[in-house]
Amino acid sequence: MEALVGCMRTTLKRGLGRGAAPNGNGKPVLPPGARSPVNVYRQPPRQPRSRMSLVGRIVLWLGLASLVLVVGAAGGTYLYFHESVAQVAAKDPAVKRAARQLDVPLPGQPAVALVIGYDHRREDGNNETGRSDTLMLVRADPETDSISLLSFPRDMWVDIRCPGRQPFTDKIAHAYSFCGPQGSLDTVKALTSLPVNFLITVNFRGFRQIMDRLGGAWIDVDRRYFNDRGGPFGYAKINLRPGYQKLTGRQALDYVRYRHTDSDLYRVARQQQFVKAFKGQVQESFGPTEAPIKLPQVVNAITNNVEVAQGGGGNVDGRTVLSYALFAYGLPRGRVFQTRIEGLEGFAELTTGSENIARAVQTFTHPDVASSEKATAVALGEKLKLAAPAPRDTTVTILNGNGVTGSASTAGFQLGERGYQILTPPNGLPANAPRFDYFRTQVYFDPALRGSSAAARNVANVFASAEVERLPAGISQLANGAMLTVVVGQTFHGSLAAAPIDQTPRRERPNVTSGASAARDHLRERRTRVPFPLMIPTVIERSSWTDSTMPIRLYWIDPGENHKAIRLVYRMGSNEYWGVQMSDWHDAPVLADKNLTRRIGGRIYDLYFNGAKLHMVVLRTPKARYWVINTLLDRLSNETMLAIAKGLKPLGKGAKR
């Protein structure tokens, strides 16, 4: 047990585990799977250090983090908290059966959850499973401090796996309709070949209740959504206007489920957009004064509509929930990565090649955490500053620290295939560490060599379970002057993890044309009704023009009605919409999550990325903020986004084009 507690030290140094216990005693929380029976290792004499295996964003998506954050500040709710967490444990027999197929979460390893959002309507009856509208994998990686999302369009045709039945081809959403949660779980596992550690089912009735009791959610609505013809055989009703706004639970549900005039590709994008927005709403909703009132209401909505199952049996306990929330709360900016399955063809029935599924899974499991910096450098023509030397410039000596014959040579061969320069110990010494009881692989760096620390982190990532430390004296005599010395531990099983797919886009010319005339008249009619200067987009995406349904909207943007906003909506092609938002609300919640800031032409721009795709560029001025917002699928290139933002000119001074 002491060795397991020692695994938490790295997390405590990062500040994520401090005060984690509900009584505030500061004792660390064991990571999920700490008692896993799957693998048995020989423990080293000293205590190993590793980060927790956490699934924070899942908890946020469900609203459990809202419960947790309050508990951290109000120790008096200890018993209430643990009783409430117990109530989200799997109760439905179908969920319990599916839980037997879950994989045990291992300490120090990434964890994956399958989130199923379903709708059971009154007309379905008591014996019907209901409909699955949302199917999303969420992966938390404590080594890279990242969360990855992978959604499956409900109309995508796949091989359905049902217990006791031969596989058959149908829409992936029908796996739940025909076979319940186990059908969805088995189908996703077979499709992706990924282990799944947690299963979370959410009733859409609960979705609405949770959102309403949190006070709504801030969502950027890209265009006008309207349909007043509902009914059992029609599309759901919806009535939303464009712009950044707080949606009620009903409005948010209508938005993320909408597909009246577009396809499941856009529905998936809206769902992932909502997941990113939810974290900020949780933090905003639970201040010290709101907590006592909102906590019981939110907990009630969660416990009545959410079920959580984990691999290995047993219910998710309060310590696990706290750990998840702390991880999500402490994520660096820009570390939520949205993965999409490319190459989908069709409309009501979507198909794609197996190679596109494989690439999406690879991107999902190995996010390129430096993608935004690299993409920015490419788009602006900057010289990319590499934090770590390239593999060809990195020398590595590898030592056997687990006593398994051939471990060091196998690891050295595989690193050599990736371009690293492999050295051997000096004077013909064997490639053995001073002892053979290393549990986790250790990657030691020589601090005297520039870039060695960053290079060590890159190498540690491909060993999956590895720790980075300065080169100790006892190992230095075997390093032979290498930048890095790797001691292979018991967690190395003969293969390295796949490297992240480089998401850096190629530089291209901005696809823009002159376009001031598209919005000039709309803006002039409203310039006297706002307290800040208006900007006119003098260049726009080449195939775009202002939307004919609602090209512009003037509205109060914040709840206190202290700030106004103007939204311009541009339609690109058949069904893509991008926009320009203007407001003097400098502290809008979405603006807090920027990735980078650049000064271009004497003006300051904040950059917001989805992976390597530039989703929003915000021009900052003393009087207002001017947002250029990409389409739901980020169809505008990074260069095009920057060109539009740089082309914003004060109304009346813009070029007459």
Side-chain angles (χ1 to χ4, degrees):
M1 179 62 69
E2 292 179 357
L4 291 172
V5 174
C7 294
M8 304 301 300
R9 289 181 177 175
T10 301
T11 301
L12 289 172
K13 285 184 177 181
R14 294 172 57 231
L16 298 183
R18 301 186 188 276
N23 61 4
N25 63 11
K27 293 183 180 180
V29 179
L30 291 178
R35 297 184 178 88
S36 167
V38 173
N39 291 316
V40 179
Y41 301 108
R42 289 178 287 123
Q43 295 290 338
R46 66 184 183 86
Q47 296 176 345
R49 296 184 297 173
S50 174
R51 297 183 182 181
M52 293 181 293
S53 176
L54 304 170
V55 195
R57 181 66 61 169
I58 304 163
V59 181
L60 289 171
W61 197 93
L62 295 172
L64 288 178
S66 60
L67 169 64
V68 170
L69 293 177
V70 176
V71 172
T77 59
Y78 175 82
L79 292 177
Y80 177 70
F81 164 66
H82 280 274
E83 290 173 0
S84 301
V85 170
Q87 292 181 50
V88 301
K91 306 177 189 66
D92 187 285
V95 177
K96 289 183 176 181
R97 287 193 297 270
R100 300 169 191 162
Q101 309 303 316
L102 293 171
D103 300 272
V104 178
L106 298 178
Q109 300 296 311
V112 176
L114 176 63
V115 180
I116 303 175
Y118 69 94
D119 184 15
H120 190 281
R121 303 173 186 174
R122 182 175 302 174
E123 57 266 25
D124 294 332
N126 295 328
N127 297 323
E128 294 294 331
T129 304
R131 302 166 179 83
S132 170
D133 272 7
T134 299
L135 203 61
M136 180 186 297
L137 285 177
V138 185
R139 180 180 183 271
D141 189 343
E143 288 297 325
T144 59
D145 276 339
S146 66
I147 296 287
S148 299
L149 310 175
L150 175 58
S151 296
F152 302 94
R154 67 188 306 277
D155 291 339
M156 186 173 70
W157 278 67
V158 300
D159 288 337
I160 303 296
R161 306 300 176 101
C162 280
R165 297 177 60 176
Q166 292 295 320
F168 60 96
T169 303
D170 209 321
K171 296 179 180 181
I172 195 169
H174 290 169
Y176 185 87
S177 302
F178 296 151
C179 317
Q182 185 172 345
S184 294
L185 176 63
D186 291 349
T187 298
V188 169
K189 291 181 68 173
L191 180 66
T192 63
S193 299
L194 289 175
V196 178
N197 311 110
F198 295 85
L199 175 64
I200 301 168
T201 62
V202 185
N203 189 326
F204 277 127
R205 178 184 61 182
F207 178 99
R208 296 194 302 268
Q209 292 178 357
I210 292 169
M211 291 314 308
D212 285 336
R213 292 172 188 182
L214 283 174
W218 284 100
I219 298 289
D220 185 76
V221 179
D222 60 320
R223 62 179 176 91
R224 179 77 165 107
Y225 290 85
F226 181 75
N227 176 45
D228 61 352
R229 297 182 180 180
F233 304 103
Y235 290 97
K237 292 183 179 181
I238 189 171
N239 186 8
L240 293 176
R241 291 174 173 80
Y244 184 69
Q245 58 200 284
K246 180 175 281 190
L247 303 183
T248 65
R250 165 59 70 182
Q251 290 173 325
L253 182 58
D254 291 344
Y255 179 71
V256 300
R257 298 181 68 187
Y258 180 86
R259 62 174 188 148
H260 185 189
T261 58
D262 55 28
S263 70
D264 264 348
L265 299 180
Y266 302 93
R267 177 191 285 212
V268 166
R270 284 189 286 268
Q271 290 172 355
Q272 293 190 345
Q273 178 191 21
F274 172 81
V275 171
K276 293 187 70 174
F278 193 77
K279 176 183 177 181
Q281 184 57 37
V282 169
Q283 294 173 326
E284 176 186 307
S285 297
F286 282 91
T289 58
E290 296 89 349
I293 299 174
K294 288 189 177 181
L295 175 60
Q297 299 173 350
V298 174
V299 169
N300 180 262
I302 292 171
T303 56
N304 288 332
N305 298 285
V306 174
E307 294 189 58
V308 182
Q310 67 175 352
N315 296 331
V316 178
D317 61 21
R319 293 180 301 173
T320 301
V321 174
L322 280 170
S323 301
Y324 295 166
L326 288 168
F327 175 72
Y329 194 82
L331 277 181
R333 290 176 177 175
R335 290 298 179 89
V336 178
F337 296 91
Q338 299 171 245
T339 304
R340 298 189 181 110
I341 298 173
E342 302 292 345
L344 289 164
E345 299 178 353
F347 186 79
E349 298 177 357
L350 300 173
T351 60
T352 190
S354 59
E355 68 280 2
N356 292 325
I357 301 292
R359 183 175 179 85
V361 171
Q362 172 75 354
T363 304
F364 171 72
T365 55
H366 299 86
D368 185 359
V369 296
S371 57
S372 59
E373 289 88 347
K374 293 187 292 185
T376 300
V378 169
L380 294 177
E382 301 174 342
K383 183 177 180 181
L384 185 62
K385 297 179 180 179
L386 296 175
R392 64 177 179 274
D393 300 321
T394 304
T395 54
V396 186
T397 296
I398 302 181
L399 306 176
N400 189 326
N402 60 20
V404 178
T405 302
S407 288
S409 59
T410 298
F413 174 76
Q414 294 182 21
L415 280 178
E417 284 190 319
R418 300 191 182 194
Y420 288 93
Q421 304 303 305
I422 307 302
L423 305 181
T424 57
N427 304 321
L429 294 173
N432 292 328
R435 64 179 197 273
F436 289 141
D437 59 356
Y438 282 82
F439 177 57
R440 286 187 173 81
T441 297
Q442 304 292 313
V443 181
Y444 297 114
F445 64 92
D446 186 344
L449 300 179
R450 185 177 181 181
S452 61
S453 177
R457 289 193 294 271
N458 286 350
V459 171
N461 286 338
V462 301
F463 277 95
S465 182
E467 296 174 342
V468 174
E469 294 184 2
R470 287 172 172 261
L471 183 66
I475 301 293
S476 61
Q477 58 185 347
L478 300 172
N480 198 16
M483 178 181 291
L484 308 178
T485 302
V486 176
V487 178
V488 178
Q490 297 171 33
T491 54
F492 176 67
H493 300 294
S495 62
L496 301 178
I501 297 177
D502 190 348
Q503 299 293 310
T504 309
R506 292 184 178 181
R507 183 174 174 81
E508 57 184 81
R509 293 177 60 86
N511 187 32
V512 294
T513 189
S514 302
S517 60
R520 183 184 291 113
D521 291 342
H522 297 301
L523 293 173
R524 283 177 173 170
E525 291 174 5
R526 293 159 178 84
R527 67 189 308 174
T528 60
R529 299 166 60 187
V530 295
F532 55 88
L534 296 182
M535 293 274 187
I536 184 170
T538 61
V539 297
I540 60 176
E541 194 276 335
R542 189 172 297 277
S543 66
S544 302
W545 201 254
T546 48
D547 182 39
S548 59
T549 302
M550 183 171 283
I552 190 169
R553 182 189 177 199
L554 169 62
Y555 66 106
W556 293 101
I557 188 173
D558 64 332
E561 297 188 351
N562 296 318
H563 301 287
K564 284 187 175 181
I566 280 184
R567 177 59 166 255
L568 287 170
V569 179
Y570 291 86
R571 181 166 181 162
M572 181 181 73
S574 61
N575 203 36
E576 295 274 3
Y577 300 83
W578 60 274
V580 177
Q581 178 112 356
M582 312 178 201
S583 176
D584 58 350
W585 189 19
H586 296 180
D587 301 321
V590 69
L591 299 182
D593 201 28
K594 64 185 177 184
N595 294 82
L596 301 166
T597 299
R598 288 290 187 272
R599 182 180 289 273
I600 306 172
R603 302 199 297 188
I604 298 175
Y605 299 87
D606 292 331
L607 310 180
Y608 300 76
F609 281 86
N610 283 334
K613 295 284 191 176
L614 189 52
H615 182 70
M616 188 166 72
V617 181
V618 177
L619 168 62
R620 282 197 277 152
T621 73
K623 295 184 178 180
R625 300 291 186 264
Y626 305 88
W627 320 357
V628 177
I629 306 166
N630 211 329
T631 69
L632 283 172
L633 299 180
D634 294 321
R635 297 294 195 193
L636 274 63
S637 70
N638 295 350
E639 290 80 4
T640 299
M641 288 286 292
L642 287 168
I644 295 172
K646 291 189 290 184
L648 293 173
K649 304 295 182 184
L651 183 63
K653 298 181 181 179
K656 296 179 180 180
R657 292 177 288 182

